[in-house]
């Protein structure tokens, strides 16, 4: 009941209560127009990282389903008829509320299971195949890699460390570059594994193996 009263109070004053990113104890109060303006700036006006689709929601889902059938993705999972496109929203960052973290929920994505299994297969390939570059699965591997022989550098080379937020890859990289990187991993592994196929269990924590 208290939540309903608070929501009604905010709506009457055209305000939005936005929780801070990575800080569950603090929130920011802003006007609805300011929130929508920032949302438009982050998604609609960012034509570098986002492709605008001037289509209805039904048309988007129809296009996705046609692609699902054309690529025969039904081999990896079913199309969720109750699925939908996720809503976009943003959180102001706790350290600097002038910066934002963009979020799109995929919990109801019609291909959620298919994409999840594809991600598990990709993680398996990254862990199984040794790449001749500086690639780490966890931060804990940093000291091990620095102490081990380095195929990516010669003895006497200096190492320059740079810290970056991994979440920036969603907004700081072009989608075409991400697709090209995934294709490189697949091509690289096809030349080195005994089988061109990867089996992924339909269970969430099930095994993943070659063949």
């Amino acid at each position: 009941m208290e939540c309903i009263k608070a929501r009604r109070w905010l709506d009457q004053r055209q305000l939005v209560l936005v929780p801070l990113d990575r800080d569950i104890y603090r929130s920011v109060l802003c006007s609805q127009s300011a929130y929508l303006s920032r949302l438009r700036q982050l998604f609609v006006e960012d034509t570098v990282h986002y492709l605008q689709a001037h289509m209805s929601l039904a048309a988007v889902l129809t296009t996705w389903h046609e692609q699902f059938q054309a690529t025969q993705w039904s081999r990896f999972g079913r199309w969720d008829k109750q699925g939908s496109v996720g809503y976009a929203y943003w959180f102001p960052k706790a350290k600097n509320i002038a910066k934002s973290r963009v979020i799109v929920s995929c919990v109801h994505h019609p291909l959620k299971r298919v994409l999840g299994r594809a991600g598990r297969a990709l993680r398996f390939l990254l862990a199984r195949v040794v790449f001749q570059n500086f690639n780490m699965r966890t931060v804990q591997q940093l000291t091990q890699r620095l102490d081990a022989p380095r195929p990516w550098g010669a003895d006497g080379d200096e190492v320059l460390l740079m810290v970056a937020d991994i979440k920036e890859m969603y907004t700081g990289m072009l989608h075409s570059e991400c697709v090209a990187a995934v294709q490189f991993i697949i091509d690289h592994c096809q030349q080195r594994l005994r089988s061109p196929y990867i089996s992924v269990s339909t269970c969430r924590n099930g095994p993943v193996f070659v063949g």
Side-chain angles (χ1 to χ4, degrees):
M1 190 62 182
E2 293 299 327
C3 292
I4 296 177
K5 290 182 179 179
R7 177 65 181 271
R8 197 171 295 161
W9 185 89
L10 291 171
D11 289 342
Q12 290 173 352
R13 291 158 179 79
Q14 297 185 342
L15 297 175
V16 180
L17 188 64
V18 188
L20 289 179
D21 181 56
R22 304 178 69 86
D23 190 338
I24 62 175
Y25 299 105
R26 294 191 295 167
S27 300
V28 172
L29 199 62
C30 67
S31 66
Q32 293 179 1
S33 60
Y35 185 90
L36 292 175
S37 176
R38 183 60 175 158
L39 192 68
R40 175 175 291 274
Q41 179 185 359
L42 291 170
F43 288 95
V44 179
E45 298 176 0
D46 186 2
T47 57
V48 175
H49 301 103
Y50 297 96
L51 178 64
Q52 295 186 29
H54 300 282
M55 306 165 62
S56 65
L57 176 59
V60 171
L61 292 173
T62 299
T63 302
W64 285 1
H65 190 249
E66 291 174 352
Q67 294 174 345
F68 172 78
Q69 293 176 318
T71 54
Q72 298 182 350
W73 280 7
S74 58
R75 296 174 296 170
F76 312 116
R78 65 179 178 83
W79 172 271
D80 187 357
K81 296 180 180 180
Q82 303 300 322
S84 183
V85 178
Y87 285 98
Y89 54 101
W90 62 272
F91 288 156
K93 294 190 175 182
K95 294 182 179 180
N96 184 356
I97 62 174
K99 296 183 178 181
S100 311
R101 186 174 310 286
V102 295
I103 299 175
V104 177
S105 174
C106 293
V107 67
H108 297 301
H109 196 291
L111 294 177
K112 176 182 176 181
R113 292 181 177 84
V114 175
L115 297 176
R117 290 163 189 167
R120 289 167 58 195
L122 185 61
R123 289 196 302 270
F124 173 81
L125 293 179
L126 287 172
R128 181 72 178 246
V129 178
V130 178
F131 293 91
Q132 295 302 315
N133 54 33
F134 193 57
N135 183 53
M136 294 185 301
R137 295 185 64 206
T138 63
V139 178
Q140 287 74 16
Q141 293 178 339
L142 176 61
T143 55
Q144 301 174 7
R145 290 295 183 90
L146 293 178
D147 293 336
R150 299 187 294 271
W152 41 269
D155 291 339
D157 286 352
E158 295 183 357
V159 177
L160 175 64
L161 297 180
M162 181 177 64
V163 179
D165 188 349
I166 192 172
K167 298 181 181 64
E168 287 294 324
M169 71 178 182
Y170 296 109
T171 54
M173 292 182 63
L174 299 177
H175 289 184
S176 58
E177 295 177 351
C178 298
V179 172
V182 172
Q183 187 61 52
F184 167 79
I185 295 172
I186 294 175
D187 295 340
H188 181 86
C189 294
Q190 283 181 336
Q191 301 173 5
R192 288 161 175 79
L193 297 179
R194 67 177 186 272
S195 172
Y197 301 102
I198 300 295
S199 297
V200 181
S201 172
T202 55
C203 298
R204 179 176 298 181
N205 296 321
V208 181
F209 53 90
V210 178

